[in-house]
Amino acid sequence: MKTTIPAVAGLLDLTGKVALVTGAGAGIGRGIAGRLAEAGAAVAVHYRGGEAEARSAVATLQAAGRKAAAVPMELTDPQSVEAGIASVAKALGPVDILVNNAARQTHSTLSEMGLDEWQAMLATNLDGVFLLSKAVIAAMIARKSGGAIVNIASISAMNSTITHGHYATSKAGLLMLTRAQAAEFGPHGIRANAVSPGVIYRQGIENAWPSGVKRWMDKVPLGRMGDVEDVGDAVLFLASPASRFITGANLVVDGGVSVLSTY
């Protein structure tokens, strides 16, 4: 079956598309939202507790002439998810691109961790992705519109560290969920891929995690921490026509750390 090949100039053009980015008020999520908006997408900025940050992100996008809206959702609550998707559709239109970025990340050894923390990690990082993706994909199938799902995983999914066992487990599960989504929903024209970032710079990280930053900088081949735009550009690629024949993939964005021996 012959497909229509877009011109190079239009490979990253998302004009007319609606993107929903979870946890997009700050950090990586805000960086992703900004890059998708710059490519022409109308962007729904999801938040749970950080309303002020989300509205600030929306204001920044709107000031640059982009279409954007802030949308609250509790991602582990099916009713809240349903209401949130309806709010996006009302404000911007139906979702064409879903970026599952919102995540929980705490530190604890497995031996000291309680069941409540284990379950909270899996609830946010897996249950929330499952519920929101299921709802968005059902709407895509009903519209026969196709679409793109990008799940934000982590290099921790492939190489866990002490105190990150629960987080790493949730992200490893997310990679398999991505592959399952790709297999099941590909016949409907829906692509599902993952992005696995390494250490991404945020203000104050050197003071908050000096030992980790030093280990990273001593090892990373490209000689720096990542920027949120590095992750945003990977998501943009996977959401765009440039990756039209890519699904079920995991794009690692870590400056080359993962290619090195860990022992």
Side-chain angles (χ1 to χ4, degrees):
M1 181 177 65
K2 181 65 176 176
T3 59
T4 301
I5 307 301
V8 170
L11 286 180
L12 300 179
D13 185 5
L14 299 182
T15 301
K17 301 296 184 181
V18 174
L20 168 57
V21 183
T22 65
I28 290 174
R30 187 163 181 161
I32 294 169
R35 297 306 257 185
L36 297 183
E38 191 174 344
V43 179
V45 175
H46 158 264
Y47 67 93
R48 187 183 68 169
E51 180 176 359
E53 288 183 326
R55 296 201 179 280
S56 171
V58 168
T60 298
L61 294 176
Q62 291 176 337
R66 319 297 183 191
K67 292 182 65 176
V71 180
M73 264 188 283
E74 171 49 68
L75 298 176
T76 60
D77 180 347
Q79 292 183 332
S80 181
V81 166
E82 183 179 347
I85 292 173
S87 294
V88 174
K90 182 177 180 180
L92 302 173
V95 175
D96 302 293
I97 300 162
L98 171 62
V99 183
N100 288 302
N101 168 73
R104 180 182 180 89
Q105 185 175 13
T106 58
H107 297 269
S108 178
T109 61
L110 295 173
S111 58
E112 296 174 343
M113 186 186 308
L115 180 60
D116 55 345
E117 176 52 33
W118 173 265
Q119 291 178 330
M121 182 68 70
L122 297 185
T124 298
N125 294 1
L126 280 176
D127 295 356
V129 173
F130 167 76
L131 288 172
L132 183 58
S133 299
K134 183 176 180 179
V136 169
I137 289 170
M140 289 175 175
I141 292 173
R143 298 197 314 273
K144 299 181 179 180
S145 62
I149 311 294
V150 183
N151 298 318
I152 307 302
S154 169
I155 60 170
S156 293
M158 292 81 74
N159 184 26
S160 184
T161 56
I162 301 299
T163 77
H164 275 74
H166 52 339
Y167 176 76
T169 298
S170 71
K171 292 301 186 178
L174 184 57
L175 291 183
M176 186 51 68
L177 176 58
T178 301
R179 292 169 64 87
Q181 290 171 333
E184 183 171 344
F185 303 116
H188 297 282
I190 299 168
R191 297 182 301 107
N193 293 288
V195 172
S196 286
V199 174
I200 304 301
Y201 176 80
R202 65 179 186 277
Q203 188 171 3
I205 189 173
E206 300 95 332
N207 296 324
W209 194 38
S211 61
V213 169
K214 184 180 186 306
R215 290 196 305 272
W216 178 268
M217 294 303 297
D218 286 345
K219 187 173 183 180
V220 60
L222 291 185
R224 65 175 176 89
M225 289 179 275
D227 296 315
V228 295
E229 291 82 6
D230 294 322
V231 182
D233 289 347
V235 172
L236 171 58
F237 168 69
L238 291 173
S240 75
S243 63
R244 60 194 174 276
F245 199 54
I246 298 174
T247 193
N250 176 37
L251 179 53
V252 176
V253 182
D254 71 348
V257 160
S258 296
V259 305
L260 301 176
S261 173
T262 58
Y263 58 90

